[in-house]
Amino acid sequence: MNAAKIIKKKKEGERVSDAELAALIRGYAAGEVPDYQMAAFAMAVIFRGMHLDETVTLTREMRDSGKVMQWPDLDKPIVDKHSCGGIGDKISLPLTPMLAACGMAVPMISGRGLGPTGGTLDKLESISGFRTDLSIEELQKQVRDIGCVITGTTHEIAPADRELYALRDITSTVTSVPLITASILSKKLAEGLEDLVLDVKWGSGTFMKTIAEAEELAESMVGVASRLGVKASALITDMNQPLGSVGNAIEVEESIDILKNEVDADTITLTIALGTELLLAAKMVDSSDQAVTMLADSIRSGAAYEKFEQMVAAQGGDLSAPRPISKLHVLKANRDGVIATVDAEALGWAVIDMGGGRKVLEDEINHAIGLEWLVKIGDTVERNQPLLHVYCTDSGYAKVKPDLMKAITLSDDPVEPPSLIVKRISG
Ligand code: URA
């Protein structure tokens, strides 16, 4: 294999063959292709893109650089959800036990927050004792025993992606649809899934700032997953305002309220919509209406909450231990008006600035920090009406209050609220 020749082909916009790409990734995983050649290849992909066939090969090779889970003795559909991340996106927490309560197996490998969007593992770690470092054997045993798990990746899962992602991070080569597709799917497909649903968000609080960008990523991920034998669909969803609460312990509390049937909000609407995709894909129901009923029943009956309790206990967590939330401050509207826009990303950064997230990987997180978005785009508000509950220290609040005020704009004219679910993309 001649890495320089492959890089030159990509740079000149020529198709790289299946065999060449496979050799490049295998060589990289084996330490035979140096970082500088891989970085040059990634940069060539940024400018030239990839054909779907190339993205399929890249994904397959990165998946197969590590262990791919097998489930020969499991008589349940093996499913998962991936979200491209957003402010207050805690859907994995209620959805995973709901799916398990509906009879599905969910071996969810999740990530940490870096940048303005929070990470599922960080949220779960606000539950005292909760382990997110299960081995593959522990993960598989837990899925067989109770039907669901949410844990971190291991060194055995898609090691070529771990190397390449770290390299992309420092060479400005993250934002490429084929590279993102291969990176996300190599890890998800290593779970040995049958069905996958993707929540591809667009807006001020996520990676993809326009619907067109979100659609391009969704089409790519659905196409590649389908070509690699996993039935996939995607929902393009709104992330122009936070999805309820934002922060670690507070998002766990909101998830518990959802599982106890104590809230009625966008978070539950979206959770049920994503669950519906999986129940239909796995042919556990004949219609969307049946799926919605089954998922709602899993909450109403208490079965989903019971699964959550089992999952937490199996991973060493103690739900009865207190999860402190910091002191409440209330951000109020400074005039009458209509909520026009909110810079959701700025709200995510404010949580980080107050200590509720990381600026660098080594930072400690204060799980008690957070905020609650109390209004919606399009709502009419009066002067002094609370817009945000902010949970932090007095000095933290003083530091972020100007940014929070700046992040929310009020209009004198009516504003059309954005649609929560914009589009569905299927394979
Ligand atoms: N998350 C990943 O795991 N990989 C990417 O490339 C982007 C986001």
Side-chain angles (χ1 to χ4, degrees):
M1 186 261 313
N2 182 340
K5 193 173 136 209
I6 298 171
I7 298 162
K8 182 165 179 284
K9 267 181 130 176
K10 182 43 69 192
K11 189 188 94 185
E12 289 174 1
E14 271 180 61
R15 280 274 284 280
V16 177
S17 75
D18 203 46
E20 285 171 321
L21 209 42
L24 184 73
I25 299 303
R26 286 175 202 183
Y28 183 57
E32 290 155 10
V33 173
D35 274 353
Y36 52 81
Q37 283 191 311
M38 209 55 206
F41 179 76
M43 191 57 87
V45 172
I46 288 273
F47 290 111
R48 291 294 190 175
M50 272 188 152
H51 187 275
L52 180 65
D53 289 347
E54 293 175 313
T55 315
V56 168
T57 304
L58 180 64
T59 309
R60 190 193 64 222
E61 287 301 321
M62 296 216 299
R63 176 197 67 189
D64 294 348
S65 66
K67 272 198 181 154
V68 179
M69 292 178 217
Q70 307 285 330
W71 304 93
D73 50 350
L74 195 63
D75 190 19
K76 287 178 177 179
I78 301 147
V79 304
D80 200 359
K81 183 240 13 163
H82 175 79
S83 163
C84 294
I87 309 300
D89 177 7
K90 77 263 316 149
I91 286 176
S92 296
L93 272 62
L95 180 61
T96 302
M98 283 165 71
L99 295 171
C102 292
M104 305 177 109
V106 193
M108 183 180 283
I109 292 182
S110 203
R112 295 196 179 278
L114 190 64
T117 59
T120 300
L121 302 181
D122 300 322
K123 293 169 198 180
L124 283 166
E125 283 174 357
S126 52
I127 301 172
S128 171
F130 192 93
R131 281 185 59 208
T132 56
D133 62 349
L134 304 190
S135 66
I136 293 187
E137 291 70 30
E138 287 174 309
L139 179 162
Q140 291 203 278
K141 179 177 183 319
Q142 188 173 317
V143 171
R144 284 193 195 96
D145 290 348
I146 65 171
C148 60
V149 69
I150 305 179
T151 186
T153 190
T154 80
H155 285 281
E156 295 157 298
I157 301 288
D161 173 64
R162 196 175 29 260
E163 298 283 317
L164 181 55
Y165 193 33
L167 188 65
R168 287 165 58 213
D169 195 29
I170 53 169
T171 56
S172 201
T173 51
V174 170
T175 51
S176 145
V177 165
L179 295 181
I180 294 172
T181 300
S183 172
I184 290 171
L185 288 183
S186 60
K187 290 171 286 209
K188 280 287 163 192
L189 303 192
E191 294 171 4
L193 302 179
E194 291 162 6
D195 305 297
L196 174 66
V197 66
L198 301 156
D199 182 3
V200 185
K201 297 186 178 296
W202 83 277
S204 67
T206 189
F207 224 11
M208 299 292 166
K209 300 294 181 197
T210 65
I211 293 180
E213 285 172 329
E215 263 186 66
E216 188 190 350
L217 182 61
E219 298 269 8
S220 169
M221 290 207 287
V222 166
V224 171
S226 308
R227 287 270 300 271
L228 290 172
V230 172
K231 243 181 287 154
S233 62
L235 298 182
I236 309 286
T237 70
D238 181 67
M239 185 30 73
N240 285 291
Q241 57 190 331
L243 211 45
S245 58
V246 187
N248 292 291
I250 195 171
E251 291 194 43
V252 169
E253 296 311 323
E254 188 187 339
S255 303
I256 290 174
D257 288 347
I258 288 172
L259 288 165
K260 288 188 168 174
N261 205 13
E262 285 166 8
V263 283
D264 177 17
D266 285 353
T267 312
I268 184 66
T269 306
L270 208 45
T271 305
I272 287 185
L274 291 160
T276 295
E277 290 292 315
L278 290 171
L279 284 170
L280 283 169
K283 299 199 170 18
M284 296 206 47
V285 290
D286 296 324
S287 68
S288 300
D289 285 352
Q290 268 183 24
V292 171
T293 304
M294 198 170 183
L295 289 158
D297 280 351
S298 78
I299 294 180
R300 231 175 277 126
S301 66
Y305 185 65
E306 206 176 303
K307 278 289 168 206
F308 183 71
E309 286 180 314
Q310 288 171 3
M311 180 178 83
V312 170
Q315 292 182 234
D318 177 5
L319 272 178
S320 66
R323 285 178 293 284
I325 306 275
S326 249
K327 182 177 167 188
L328 171 66
H329 300 80
V330 183
L331 185 87
K332 297 177 180 166
N334 56 6
R335 68 172 180 98
D336 294 353
V338 179
I339 305 291
T341 60
V342 48
D343 182 346
E345 186 173 324
L347 266 43
W349 283 119
V351 170
I352 293 172
D353 282 343
M354 293 184 289
R358 296 187 190 82
K359 287 188 178 144
V360 292
L361 211 52
E362 296 73 30
D363 281 351
E364 285 276 314
I365 288 184
N366 180 348
H367 289 96
I369 302 294
L371 47 84
E372 259 173 297
W373 178 233
L374 302 170
V375 287
K376 295 265 194 73
I377 293 174
D379 284 0
T380 300
V381 296
E382 290 174 2
R383 181 176 151 78
N384 283 332
Q385 182 172 332
L387 304 178
L388 279 174
H389 281 165
V390 186
Y391 300 94
C392 61
T393 58
D394 292 340
S395 61
Y397 187 60
K399 185 168 149 198
V400 302
K401 190 177 172 195
D403 296 335
L404 294 176
M405 284 306 283
K406 215 164 67 194
I408 302 166
T409 57
L410 296 178
S411 159
D412 294 323
D413 301 317
V415 176
E416 185 71 26
S419 304
L420 184 60
I421 300 172
V422 178
K423 194 167 178 177
R424 173 175 187 272
I425 290 171
S426 64

